[in-house]
Amino acid sequence: MAASAQSARLTMDDKASLWPKASMQEKIDFTNRMGKAFVALSPELDNRFFMRCLEETANIGDTKDLRLEEMVRACVAIGTKTP
C-alpha cells in the first residue's frame, strides 16, 4: 500500500495537466512539500499559497506541455514580487 501511495505522488516533472485530475490528498501532499521548500525564501510561500496558486493556474490557463516545476516557478515569481 505504501509503495502505491508513493508512486501516486505528484512530482515536479509531472505534466501540469495532471493537477486538475489529481486527488485532493495528492494536491495537499504536493503543496505541503512546496511550502516546506519555499517558506524560508518568503513566509508567504506556504502550502496555502501554493494550493491557491496552482489551482488558479491549472484551472484557468492552458497548461499544454507545462510541467508542475514551471508552474511552481511562476507561483514563486508571483509570490516574491514586491508591491
Side-chain angles (χ1 to χ4, degrees), residues 4 8 12 14 17 22 26 28-29 34 37 39-40 43 47-48 55 59 66 68 72 76-78:
S4 65
M12 295 287 265
D14 284 335
S17 59
E26 290 171 312
I28 290 169
D29 174 64
M34 294 306 102
V39 77
N47 59 332
R48 291 181 301 251
E55 283 290 313
N59 291 323
L66 289 178
L68 284 175
V72 167
V76 170
I78 291 166

PDB file of all heavy atoms in Angstrom, residues 4 8 12 14 17 22 26 28-29 34 37 39-40 43 47-48 55 59 66 68 72 76-78:
ATOM      1  N   SER A   4       2.330   1.986  -3.469  1.00  0.00           N
ATOM      2  CA  SER A   4       1.405   2.573  -4.435  1.00  0.00           C
ATOM      3  C   SER A   4       1.107   4.022  -4.087  1.00  0.00           C
ATOM      4  O   SER A   4       0.944   4.852  -4.968  1.00  0.00           O
ATOM      5  CB  SER A   4       0.109   1.763  -4.514  1.00  0.00           C
ATOM      6  OG  SER A   4      -0.579   1.827  -3.285  1.00  0.00           O
ATOM      7  N   ALA A   8       2.016   7.374  -6.489  1.00  0.00           N
ATOM      8  CA  ALA A   8       0.942   8.266  -6.891  1.00  0.00           C
ATOM      9  C   ALA A   8       1.254   9.729  -6.592  1.00  0.00           C
ATOM     10  O   ALA A   8       0.485  10.597  -6.935  1.00  0.00           O
ATOM     11  CB  ALA A   8      -0.359   7.862  -6.195  1.00  0.00           C
ATOM     12  N   MET A  12       7.597  17.285  -9.509  1.00  0.00           N
ATOM     13  CA  MET A  12       7.881  18.479 -10.297  1.00  0.00           C
ATOM     14  C   MET A  12       7.951  18.165 -11.786  1.00  0.00           C
ATOM     15  O   MET A  12       7.718  19.033 -12.618  1.00  0.00           O
ATOM     16  CB  MET A  12       9.205  19.097  -9.848  1.00  0.00           C
ATOM     17  CG  MET A  12       9.173  19.607  -8.426  1.00  0.00           C
ATOM     18  SD  MET A  12       8.214  21.103  -8.264  1.00  0.00           S
ATOM     19  CE  MET A  12       9.525  22.304  -8.403  1.00  0.00           C
ATOM     20  N   ASP A  14       5.992  16.044 -13.382  1.00  0.00           N
ATOM     21  CA  ASP A  14       4.679  15.699 -13.927  1.00  0.00           C
ATOM     22  C   ASP A  14       4.133  16.836 -14.777  1.00  0.00           C
ATOM     23  O   ASP A  14       4.430  18.013 -14.551  1.00  0.00           O
ATOM     24  CB  ASP A  14       3.680  15.415 -12.797  1.00  0.00           C
ATOM     25  CG  ASP A  14       3.896  14.061 -12.166  1.00  0.00           C
ATOM     26  OD1 ASP A  14       4.448  13.164 -12.832  1.00  0.00           O
ATOM     27  OD2 ASP A  14       3.516  13.894 -10.990  1.00  0.00           O
ATOM     28  N   SER A  17      -1.054  19.332 -16.568  1.00  0.00           N
ATOM     29  CA  SER A  17      -2.414  18.896 -16.871  1.00  0.00           C
ATOM     30  C   SER A  17      -2.903  17.815 -15.909  1.00  0.00           C
ATOM     31  O   SER A  17      -4.098  17.552 -15.824  1.00  0.00           O
ATOM     32  CB  SER A  17      -2.507  18.395 -18.310  1.00  0.00           C
ATOM     33  OG  SER A  17      -1.605  17.318 -18.512  1.00  0.00           O
ATOM     34  N   ALA A  22      -5.771  15.265 -10.224  1.00  0.00           N
ATOM     35  CA  ALA A  22      -5.200  14.653  -9.025  1.00  0.00           C
ATOM     36  C   ALA A  22      -6.214  14.682  -7.882  1.00  0.00           C
ATOM     37  O   ALA A  22      -7.092  15.555  -7.826  1.00  0.00           O
ATOM     38  CB  ALA A  22      -3.936  15.402  -8.618  1.00  0.00           C
ATOM     39  N   GLU A  26      -3.377  14.114  -2.987  1.00  0.00           N
ATOM     40  CA  GLU A  26      -2.160  14.315  -3.786  1.00  0.00           C
ATOM     41  C   GLU A  26      -1.800  15.798  -3.858  1.00  0.00           C
ATOM     42  O   GLU A  26      -0.625  16.172  -3.756  1.00  0.00           O
ATOM     43  CB  GLU A  26      -2.342  13.755  -5.195  1.00  0.00           C
ATOM     44  CG  GLU A  26      -2.404  12.250  -5.248  1.00  0.00           C
ATOM     45  CD  GLU A  26      -2.805  11.744  -6.621  1.00  0.00           C
ATOM     46  OE1 GLU A  26      -3.798  12.249  -7.187  1.00  0.00           O
ATOM     47  OE2 GLU A  26      -2.120  10.853  -7.124  1.00  0.00           O
ATOM     48  N   ILE A  28      -2.661  18.153  -1.661  1.00  0.00           N
ATOM     49  CA  ILE A  28      -2.217  18.576  -0.327  1.00  0.00           C
ATOM     50  C   ILE A  28      -0.785  18.141  -0.087  1.00  0.00           C
ATOM     51  O   ILE A  28       0.044  18.921   0.403  1.00  0.00           O
ATOM     52  CB  ILE A  28      -3.168  18.032   0.757  1.00  0.00           C
ATOM     53  CG1 ILE A  28      -4.518  18.751   0.671  1.00  0.00           C
ATOM     54  CG2 ILE A  28      -2.560  18.172   2.153  1.00  0.00           C
ATOM     55  CD1 ILE A  28      -5.617  18.124   1.514  1.00  0.00           C
ATOM     56  N   ASP A  29      -0.462  16.913  -0.440  1.00  0.00           N
ATOM     57  CA  ASP A  29       0.904  16.403  -0.268  1.00  0.00           C
ATOM     58  C   ASP A  29       1.889  17.261  -1.052  1.00  0.00           C
ATOM     59  O   ASP A  29       2.923  17.687  -0.532  1.00  0.00           O
ATOM     60  CB  ASP A  29       0.973  14.943  -0.716  1.00  0.00           C
ATOM     61  CG  ASP A  29       2.395  14.407  -0.697  1.00  0.00           C
ATOM     62  OD1 ASP A  29       2.989  14.335   0.398  1.00  0.00           O
ATOM     63  OD2 ASP A  29       2.911  14.067  -1.781  1.00  0.00           O
ATOM     64  N   MET A  34       5.954  21.783  -1.284  1.00  0.00           N
ATOM     65  CA  MET A  34       6.393  23.052  -1.858  1.00  0.00           C
ATOM     66  C   MET A  34       6.476  24.124  -0.770  1.00  0.00           C
ATOM     67  O   MET A  34       7.424  24.913  -0.738  1.00  0.00           O
ATOM     68  CB  MET A  34       5.446  23.520  -2.975  1.00  0.00           C
ATOM     69  CG  MET A  34       5.444  22.621  -4.208  1.00  0.00           C
ATOM     70  SD  MET A  34       7.079  22.329  -4.916  1.00  0.00           S
ATOM     71  CE  MET A  34       7.450  20.693  -4.302  1.00  0.00           C
ATOM     72  N   ALA A  37       9.565  23.679   1.206  1.00  0.00           N
ATOM     73  CA  ALA A  37      10.760  24.002   0.430  1.00  0.00           C
ATOM     74  C   ALA A  37      10.947  25.508   0.235  1.00  0.00           C
ATOM     75  O   ALA A  37      12.077  25.979   0.169  1.00  0.00           O
ATOM     76  CB  ALA A  37      10.696  23.317  -0.936  1.00  0.00           C
ATOM     77  N   VAL A  39       9.093  28.247   2.001  1.00  0.00           N
ATOM     78  CA  VAL A  39       8.703  29.196   3.047  1.00  0.00           C
ATOM     79  C   VAL A  39       9.909  29.950   3.603  1.00  0.00           C
ATOM     80  O   VAL A  39       9.780  31.091   4.051  1.00  0.00           O
ATOM     81  CB  VAL A  39       7.868  28.499   4.149  1.00  0.00           C
ATOM     82  CG1 VAL A  39       8.751  27.687   5.089  1.00  0.00           C
ATOM     83  CG2 VAL A  39       7.032  29.509   4.913  1.00  0.00           C
ATOM     84  N   ALA A  40      11.094  29.361   3.556  1.00  0.00           N
ATOM     85  CA  ALA A  40      12.299  30.063   4.017  1.00  0.00           C
ATOM     86  C   ALA A  40      12.635  31.237   3.090  1.00  0.00           C
ATOM     87  O   ALA A  40      13.196  32.235   3.536  1.00  0.00           O
ATOM     88  CB  ALA A  40      13.480  29.100   4.103  1.00  0.00           C
ATOM     89  N   PRO A  43       7.924  34.002   3.880  1.00  0.00           N
ATOM     90  CA  PRO A  43       6.893  33.385   4.725  1.00  0.00           C
ATOM     91  C   PRO A  43       5.537  33.227   4.027  1.00  0.00           C
ATOM     92  O   PRO A  43       4.745  32.366   4.396  1.00  0.00           O
ATOM     93  CB  PRO A  43       6.776  34.347   5.916  1.00  0.00           C
ATOM     94  CG  PRO A  43       8.022  35.144   5.917  1.00  0.00           C
ATOM     95  CD  PRO A  43       8.509  35.187   4.496  1.00  0.00           C
ATOM     96  N   ASN A  47       2.082  26.401   2.169  1.00  0.00           N
ATOM     97  CA  ASN A  47       1.270  25.417   1.445  1.00  0.00           C
ATOM     98  C   ASN A  47      -0.052  26.004   0.955  1.00  0.00           C
ATOM     99  O   ASN A  47      -0.519  25.664  -0.136  1.00  0.00           O
ATOM    100  CB  ASN A  47       1.050  24.161   2.285  1.00  0.00           C
ATOM    101  CG  ASN A  47       0.359  24.448   3.597  1.00  0.00           C
ATOM    102  OD1 ASN A  47       0.460  25.540   4.164  1.00  0.00           O
ATOM    103  ND2 ASN A  47      -0.327  23.460   4.107  1.00  0.00           N
ATOM    104  N   ARG A  48      -0.653  26.897   1.714  1.00  0.00           N
ATOM    105  CA  ARG A  48      -1.925  27.511   1.276  1.00  0.00           C
ATOM    106  C   ARG A  48      -1.707  28.364   0.024  1.00  0.00           C
ATOM    107  O   ARG A  48      -2.536  28.345  -0.893  1.00  0.00           O
ATOM    108  CB  ARG A  48      -2.518  28.354   2.400  1.00  0.00           C
ATOM    109  CG  ARG A  48      -3.018  27.521   3.560  1.00  0.00           C
ATOM    110  CD  ARG A  48      -3.605  28.413   4.628  1.00  0.00           C
ATOM    111  NE  ARG A  48      -2.578  29.354   5.088  1.00  0.00           N
ATOM    112  CZ  ARG A  48      -1.994  29.318   6.267  1.00  0.00           C
ATOM    113  NH1 ARG A  48      -2.344  28.405   7.134  1.00  0.00           N
ATOM    114  NH2 ARG A  48      -1.080  30.211   6.591  1.00  0.00           N
ATOM    115  N   GLU A  55      -4.034  25.873  -8.147  1.00  0.00           N
ATOM    116  CA  GLU A  55      -5.435  25.677  -8.541  1.00  0.00           C
ATOM    117  C   GLU A  55      -5.834  26.714  -9.587  1.00  0.00           C
ATOM    118  O   GLU A  55      -6.400  26.377 -10.619  1.00  0.00           O
ATOM    119  CB  GLU A  55      -6.365  25.783  -7.329  1.00  0.00           C
ATOM    120  CG  GLU A  55      -6.383  24.565  -6.443  1.00  0.00           C
ATOM    121  CD  GLU A  55      -7.062  23.371  -7.082  1.00  0.00           C
ATOM    122  OE1 GLU A  55      -8.164  23.516  -7.647  1.00  0.00           O
ATOM    123  OE2 GLU A  55      -6.484  22.275  -7.019  1.00  0.00           O
ATOM    124  N   ASN A  59      -6.443  25.660 -13.519  1.00  0.00           N
ATOM    125  CA  ASN A  59      -7.850  25.637 -13.894  1.00  0.00           C
ATOM    126  C   ASN A  59      -8.274  26.771 -14.814  1.00  0.00           C
ATOM    127  O   ASN A  59      -9.294  26.657 -15.479  1.00  0.00           O
ATOM    128  CB  ASN A  59      -8.728  25.610 -12.643  1.00  0.00           C
ATOM    129  CG  ASN A  59      -8.610  24.292 -11.917  1.00  0.00           C
ATOM    130  OD1 ASN A  59      -8.506  23.246 -12.524  1.00  0.00           O
ATOM    131  ND2 ASN A  59      -8.609  24.347 -10.603  1.00  0.00           N
ATOM    132  N   LEU A  66       3.242  22.206 -20.164  1.00  0.00           N
ATOM    133  CA  LEU A  66       3.943  22.680 -18.971  1.00  0.00           C
ATOM    134  C   LEU A  66       4.095  21.554 -17.960  1.00  0.00           C
ATOM    135  O   LEU A  66       3.263  20.661 -17.876  1.00  0.00           O
ATOM    136  CB  LEU A  66       3.169  23.816 -18.298  1.00  0.00           C
ATOM    137  CG  LEU A  66       3.134  25.161 -18.995  1.00  0.00           C
ATOM    138  CD1 LEU A  66       2.271  26.127 -18.200  1.00  0.00           C
ATOM    139  CD2 LEU A  66       4.532  25.726 -19.150  1.00  0.00           C
ATOM    140  N   LEU A  68       4.769  20.702 -13.737  1.00  0.00           N
ATOM    141  CA  LEU A  68       4.476  21.323 -12.449  1.00  0.00           C
ATOM    142  C   LEU A  68       5.631  22.212 -11.994  1.00  0.00           C
ATOM    143  O   LEU A  68       5.407  23.252 -11.379  1.00  0.00           O
ATOM    144  CB  LEU A  68       4.161  20.264 -11.397  1.00  0.00           C
ATOM    145  CG  LEU A  68       2.768  19.644 -11.506  1.00  0.00           C
ATOM    146  CD1 LEU A  68       2.599  18.515 -10.503  1.00  0.00           C
ATOM    147  CD2 LEU A  68       1.690  20.704 -11.297  1.00  0.00           C
ATOM    148  N   VAL A  72       5.232  25.923 -10.536  1.00  0.00           N
ATOM    149  CA  VAL A  72       5.756  26.296  -9.221  1.00  0.00           C
ATOM    150  C   VAL A  72       6.667  27.511  -9.360  1.00  0.00           C
ATOM    151  O   VAL A  72       6.586  28.455  -8.563  1.00  0.00           O
ATOM    152  CB  VAL A  72       6.486  25.102  -8.554  1.00  0.00           C
ATOM    153  CG1 VAL A  72       7.302  25.557  -7.354  1.00  0.00           C
ATOM    154  CG2 VAL A  72       5.488  24.034  -8.146  1.00  0.00           C
ATOM    155  N   VAL A  76       6.200  31.071  -7.502  1.00  0.00           N
ATOM    156  CA  VAL A  76       7.251  31.683  -6.681  1.00  0.00           C
ATOM    157  C   VAL A  76       7.531  33.099  -7.178  1.00  0.00           C
ATOM    158  O   VAL A  76       7.667  34.031  -6.379  1.00  0.00           O
ATOM    159  CB  VAL A  76       8.539  30.834  -6.687  1.00  0.00           C
ATOM    160  CG1 VAL A  76       9.695  31.583  -6.057  1.00  0.00           C
ATOM    161  CG2 VAL A  76       8.305  29.510  -5.955  1.00  0.00           C
ATOM    162  N   ALA A  77       7.588  33.276  -8.480  1.00  0.00           N
ATOM    163  CA  ALA A  77       7.828  34.614  -9.033  1.00  0.00           C
ATOM    164  C   ALA A  77       6.713  35.580  -8.638  1.00  0.00           C
ATOM    165  O   ALA A  77       6.969  36.722  -8.262  1.00  0.00           O
ATOM    166  CB  ALA A  77       7.966  34.536 -10.553  1.00  0.00           C
ATOM    167  N   ILE A  78       5.497  35.119  -8.704  1.00  0.00           N
ATOM    168  CA  ILE A  78       4.356  35.943  -8.324  1.00  0.00           C
ATOM    169  C   ILE A  78       4.398  36.248  -6.822  1.00  0.00           C
ATOM    170  O   ILE A  78       4.173  37.367  -6.398  1.00  0.00           O
ATOM    171  CB  ILE A  78       3.022  35.240  -8.680  1.00  0.00           C
ATOM    172  CG1 ILE A  78       2.848  35.180 -10.189  1.00  0.00           C
ATOM    173  CG2 ILE A  78       1.841  35.922  -8.011  1.00  0.00           C
ATOM    174  CD1 ILE A  78       1.764  34.230 -10.645  1.00  0.00           C
TER     175      ILE A  78
END
